[in-house]
Amino acid sequence: MEPLSPEGNPPETERSVAWPAIGAGALLVVLAIGALVLLTRPSGERTAQPVSEGPHAYGEKLQFADLKMSEVANFVGGKVTYLEGQLTNQGDRTVSGVTVEIVFRNSLGEVVQKETLPVKVHEQRGPYVDVTDLKAAPLKPGETRGFRLIFDHVSADWNREYPAITVTAVSFN
């Protein structure tokens, strides 16, 4: 039988708190939130692009053809949308960079999303096709190469038609 305290209650036993376990749990929660923030924010490529003043003159010599769009699920449960096709340099200069403005519209023809992105071109790496900057694989005059634009998010109001593509910047070798 346990001795009673002067008030007639059993004495309180000392409880130890597992502070290291609580600290480790809090650290895991903070790391998980940080990872979620990093994975869901727009990539630096999109925010680092200069604001366009309109179409680039050499853009008329760059032809985008055989457009295809696809969506895939990413590892965090969201969707990534790809716009792929063929890019042909019909001009007389070697192109080492292309920036485009992509405009998505709704069923009323209103702009629901506008993004400025660098064009990435297909590059064969062993048995796989990867994408790389044009700076690493410039597009020579008369050359055609596959390209890909990647969208982390596309507006739910998008009318599912191909977006408008405007070349806003071109770099040359």
Side-chain angles (χ1 to χ4, degrees), residues 58 60-63 88-93 140-143:
Y58 197 85
E60 294 175 1
K61 298 177 183 180
L62 298 174
Q63 179 185 5
T88 302
N89 180 359
Q90 296 177 332
D92 56 356
R93 300 181 72 181
K140 296 176 178 72
E143 188 176 9

Side-chain angles (χ1 to χ4, degrees), residues 50-56 101 168:
V51 176
S52 169
E53 295 296 324
H56 190 277
E101 180 181 80
T168 58

Side-chain angles (χ1 to χ4, degrees), residues 118-133:
V119 173
K120 306 277 188 176
V121 292
H122 293 169
E123 182 175 41
Q124 191 72 34
R125 294 187 187 200
Y128 305 104
V129 174
D130 200 2
V131 290
T132 188
D133 288 320

Side-chain angles (χ1 to χ4, degrees), residues 6 12 21 27 30-31 45 47 57 61 63 76 85 87 92 95 99 109 112 130 136 141 163 171:
E12 290 188 25
L27 180 62
V30 168
L31 289 175
E45 290 177 347
T47 58
K61 298 177 183 180
Q63 179 185 5
V76 292
L87 173 61
D92 56 356
V95 175
T99 302
V112 293
D130 200 2
S171 303

